[in-house]
């Protein structure tokens, strides 16, 4: 089933997982997926190596397992900056063989150690390329607090409109901790004529180092309420984890009350956190 059809029927709830590092076994992800059984997300997205190697094969295997064993629709992340058109066609062929029709089309992070192939400079280039080659459901990424490479919000929204016009069916936001930032962003997209569904990306905090790393990468702001939680519990890992779960649940409840199209939970491959959050909000969808 194509994800775009789900948004016509309900408020969507989804998870994100990622393949293990090279030093870990793929069985760790399979075990996590088994623990997630019964939570019934609408779809599960799987991250994919942006470097043209690494976890790409594992990502395809995990996506297949999600579809075949978990009976949940998978969405494969597909970054393009370090891939050629021939390599993207190979991935699309693999998706067709496995019956996977949902893609999150991304430019991907630029790695200074890997020269980009420049056959796709932007996500919009990849989206157009995919649209010409099959009836895939295509999700795109968006940034409530502006992409770190964009000059300002106006430029960022203009670039987002290009992606949507190229064929994006729905959007998933980068993580954020201030719901007001999301509401302001949503209003700006409506003014710009962006009418596709927007899922809010929520990441529960599990450690201070994790959040500092993610904020430096995506530029998310930290509300004073959130900062106080980190300061209060930063030396108590279990307390910080549970406070992070509570904060994420509070975010989700508020977003649902304000008519969000969907919630995309960055699980960090942690079934305990995913189950706690899903259990708390499952009756709200």
């Amino acid at each position: 089933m194509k994800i775009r059809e789900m948004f016509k029927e309900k408020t969507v709830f989804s998870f994100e997982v990622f393949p293990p590092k090279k030093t870990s076994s793929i069985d760790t992800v399979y075990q996590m997926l088994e623990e997630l059984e019964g939570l019934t997300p609408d779809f599960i997205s799987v991250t994919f190596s942006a470097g043209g190697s690494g976890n790409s094969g594992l990502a395809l295997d995990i996506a297949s397992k999600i579809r075949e064993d978990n009976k949940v629709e998978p969405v494969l992340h597909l970054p393009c900056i370090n891939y050629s058109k021939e390599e993207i066609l190979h991935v699309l062929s693999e998706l067709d063989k496995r019956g996977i029709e949902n893609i999150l089309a991304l430019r991907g992070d630029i790695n200074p150690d890997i020269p980009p192939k420049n056959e796709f400079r932007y996500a919009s280039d990849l989206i157009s390329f995919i649209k010409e080659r099959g009836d895939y459901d295509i999700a795109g990424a968006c940034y409530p607090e502006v992409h770190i490479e964009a000059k300002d919000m106006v430029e960022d929204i203009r670039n987002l409109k290009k992606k949507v016009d190229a064929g994006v069916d729905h959007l998933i936001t980068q993580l954020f901790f201030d719901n007001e930032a999301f509401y302001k962003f949503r209003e700006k997209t409506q003014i710009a004529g962006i009418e596709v569904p927007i899922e809010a990306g929520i990441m529960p905090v599990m450690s201070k180092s994790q959040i500092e790393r993610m904020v430096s990468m995506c530029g998310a702001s930290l509300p004073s309420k959130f900062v106080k939680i980190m300061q209060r519990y930063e030396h108590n890992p279990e307390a910080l984890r549970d406070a992070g779960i509570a904060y994420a649940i509070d975010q989700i409840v508020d977003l649902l009350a304000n008519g969000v199209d969907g919630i995309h939970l960055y699980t960090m491959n942690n079934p305990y956190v995913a189950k706690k959050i899903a259990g708390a909000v499952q009756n709200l969808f």
Side-chain angles (χ1 to χ4, degrees):
M1 181 179 184
K2 292 181 174 63
I3 306 303
R4 60 177 175 253
E5 299 302 321
M6 297 180 183
F7 284 101
K8 298 176 183 178
E9 301 173 358
K10 65 188 295 290
T11 304
V12 171
F13 185 42
S14 58
F15 294 163
E16 178 180 294
V17 300
F18 53 84
K21 297 179 180 179
K22 293 181 180 179
T23 55
S24 302
S25 168
I26 194 172
D27 290 337
T28 60
V29 179
Y30 290 164
Q31 176 63 36
M32 183 203 66
L33 290 172
E34 289 180 9
E35 292 188 46
L36 293 180
E37 285 187 10
L39 297 184
T40 60
D42 294 297
F43 70 84
I44 299 177
S45 73
V46 185
T47 63
F48 192 91
S49 171
S53 59
N55 69 18
S56 55
L58 294 180
L60 285 163
D61 290 342
I62 292 168
S64 294
K65 184 174 179 61
I66 289 169
R67 181 174 182 271
E68 295 167 8
D69 295 350
N70 294 77
K71 307 304 181 185
V72 175
E73 287 296 332
V75 173
L76 186 76
H77 293 214
L78 190 54
C80 63
I81 190 66
N82 294 318
Y83 286 85
S84 66
K85 292 181 179 179
E86 182 179 354
E87 288 169 326
I88 293 295
L89 285 173
H90 174 72
V91 175
L92 294 179
S93 176
E94 281 296 314
L95 291 177
D96 292 342
K97 290 177 185 176
R98 298 166 189 249
I100 299 170
E101 53 187 356
N102 300 295
I103 297 168
L104 174 55
L106 307 161
R107 184 199 68 179
D109 296 329
I110 295 177
N111 187 333
D113 298 323
I114 303 176
K117 294 190 176 179
N118 288 323
E119 292 191 34
F120 301 97
R121 292 189 64 194
Y122 305 106
S124 56
D125 299 330
L126 175 64
I127 293 161
S128 298
F129 185 80
I130 295 172
K131 278 292 183 181
E132 292 172 358
R133 284 156 180 81
D135 183 24
Y136 300 96
D137 179 279
I138 303 180
C142 58
Y143 299 79
E145 296 178 88
V146 185
H147 192 286
I148 57 174
E149 295 178 24
K151 179 176 65 176
D152 52 32
M153 178 65 82
V154 172
E155 180 183 75
D156 202 26
I157 294 289
R158 186 179 293 121
N159 290 336
L160 181 61
K161 185 68 162 60
K162 289 179 183 177
K163 287 199 287 189
V164 173
D165 290 345
V168 161
D169 295 294
H170 49 97
L171 295 164
I172 301 174
T173 77
Q174 180 57 273
L175 64 93
F176 61 89
F177 302 100
D178 183 352
N179 284 7
E180 289 303 317
F182 173 80
Y183 299 138
K184 291 176 182 177
F185 167 76
R186 184 172 61 176
E187 182 179 6
K188 289 180 171 65
T189 63
Q190 293 168 348
I191 293 170
I194 295 172
E195 299 178 349
V196 299
I198 302 176
E199 261 198 297
I202 300 297
M203 178 179 286
V205 176
M206 289 183 280
S207 71
K208 185 180 179 182
S209 60
Q210 168 217 355
I211 205 59
E212 289 174 342
R213 181 174 67 254
M214 295 308 300
V215 167
S216 68
M217 290 173 61
C218 70
S221 62
L222 301 179
S224 59
K225 176 182 175 180
F226 185 88
V227 172
K228 289 177 181 177
I229 289 173
M230 283 204 304
Q231 291 173 340
R232 177 68 176 83
Y233 301 113
E234 63 178 302
H235 300 300
N236 186 333
E238 289 187 355
L240 181 58
R241 178 200 62 193
D242 289 346
I245 290 171
Y247 190 91
I249 291 170
D250 185 59
Q251 273 192 280
I252 292 169
V253 171
D254 181 72
L255 288 162
L256 291 172
N258 282 278
V260 71
D261 295 312
I263 300 292
H264 188 63
L265 184 65
Y266 296 104
T267 69
M268 303 303 291
N269 285 16
N270 189 314
Y272 173 86
V273 173
K275 286 191 286 189
K276 284 287 188 181
I277 294 175
V281 303
Q282 62 183 351
N283 292 328
L284 304 182
F285 286 86

